[in-house]
Amino acid sequence: MKKVKKEYYFVTFLFICFIILTMFVVKGEMDTLDKLVFNKLITFKSDFLTTFLYVITSLASTLGTIFLLVFIAVFFLKKKMFSVFKYVICNVGIGIVLMQILKIIIGRVRPAWKWITQGGFSYPSGHTITSVLLYGTLILLVSKKVKGNLKKPLIIILTIMILLTGLSRIYFGVHYLTDVVASLILGSIILIISNMIMERDFNNDKNKIK
């Protein structure tokens, strides 16, 4: 029970952080920081970095996400683990719906300095929350299902993919730092809740086998 309580407390803490951040964003109190971060990041602009980050950000686009979901589904099917794919698809689906609702409610216009084409509102970052929930759910599954030397490298790679996706959105000027941070917070909340559900389900499966 203590572990569950701690997780609920952490979810509550993150939710409060999101509310406070959103209030600051709506009032325009984060604009200076957002612009400062972009101006610093863009000083690293290069052809290689642009190409690399464009590939990363494309994987979190609608088409990129569909491609990854199909690939993951096939992989799980071959490994006879397709039953766990429901966690991936549910988390990504919840994140996309939540993100669209918040974008409409908050209606934050994208940065004036964006240098790739991107429509819609800015807050929170859709690409970022998608990557958090896609790669993050895989991290949870890897931590529970994968054993041996492959476990840590996979978790590290998936974590880096999340961070690079958020970085790419700021780099291309289509999102503010606070858009990305908001998505990281929301995604983390969903992952914590999802992890609680996974542990319950997996424990039930073990009990059935016994």
Side-chain angles (χ1 to χ4, degrees):
M1 286 295 294
K2 288 184 178 180
K3 186 177 182 181
V4 173
K5 285 184 178 180
K6 286 181 180 179
E7 288 169 336
Y8 278 123
Y9 289 145
F10 193 40
V11 166
T12 302
F13 170 73
L14 288 176
F15 181 72
I16 292 173
C17 288
F18 175 76
I19 294 298
I20 293 174
L21 176 63
T22 302
M23 289 174 60
F24 283 144
V25 166
V26 171
K27 292 180 179 180
E29 295 180 9
M30 304 300 291
D31 293 354
T32 301
L33 175 62
D34 284 329
K35 188 172 183 179
L36 176 64
V37 170
F38 172 76
N39 288 337
K40 290 292 184 181
L41 184 59
I42 204 64
T43 60
F44 296 97
K45 184 178 179 181
S46 67
D47 291 340
F48 170 78
L49 187 58
T50 298
T51 302
F52 175 70
L53 289 180
Y54 191 77
V55 172
I56 296 295
T57 203
S58 295
L59 288 173
S61 66
T62 301
L63 289 177
T65 301
I66 293 173
F67 169 78
L68 288 175
L69 288 175
V70 171
F71 177 82
I72 294 167
V74 173
F75 176 81
F76 281 160
L77 188 60
K78 287 184 176 181
K79 293 293 183 179
K80 297 181 179 179
M81 295 173 55
F82 191 72
S83 60
V84 300
F85 183 65
K86 63 185 177 184
Y87 300 110
V88 179
I89 199 71
C90 285
N91 285 350
V92 172
I94 290 170
I96 291 174
V97 172
L98 180 62
M99 174 268 301
Q100 292 292 351
I101 293 173
L102 289 172
K103 279 180 179 289
I104 294 172
I105 293 174
I106 298 169
R108 189 184 198 187
V109 178
R110 290 190 185 274
W113 54 75
K114 68 179 186 293
W115 52 286
I116 63 172
T117 303
Q118 187 75 62
F121 292 118
S122 181
Y123 186 94
S125 168
H127 282 63
T128 303
I129 197 169
T130 298
S131 71
V132 170
L133 294 173
L134 178 57
Y135 303 130
T137 305
L138 291 178
I139 289 174
L140 294 179
L141 292 173
V142 167
S143 66
K144 298 176 188 304
K145 295 292 186 179
V146 177
K147 297 179 180 179
N149 297 329
L150 197 59
K151 185 173 182 177
K152 286 186 178 180
L154 282 174
I155 291 175
I156 292 172
I157 291 171
L158 291 168
T159 301
I160 291 174
M161 288 298 294
I162 293 173
L163 298 176
L164 286 177
T165 301
L167 183 69
S168 71
R169 304 311 288 166
I170 303 171
Y171 177 82
F172 289 115
V174 292
H175 279 292
Y176 301 98
L177 169 67
T178 43
D179 298 339
V180 171
V181 172
S183 290
L184 291 173
I185 294 173
L186 287 174
S188 296
I189 291 172
I190 295 173
L191 287 178
I192 292 170
I193 296 172
S194 179
N195 185 54
M196 294 164 62
I197 296 172
M198 282 185 192
E199 290 187 347
R200 182 200 65 191
D201 291 347
F202 292 161
N203 287 334
N204 287 339
D205 291 341
K206 288 180 180 178
N207 292 332
K208 287 179 182 179
I209 294 175
K210 292 179 181 179

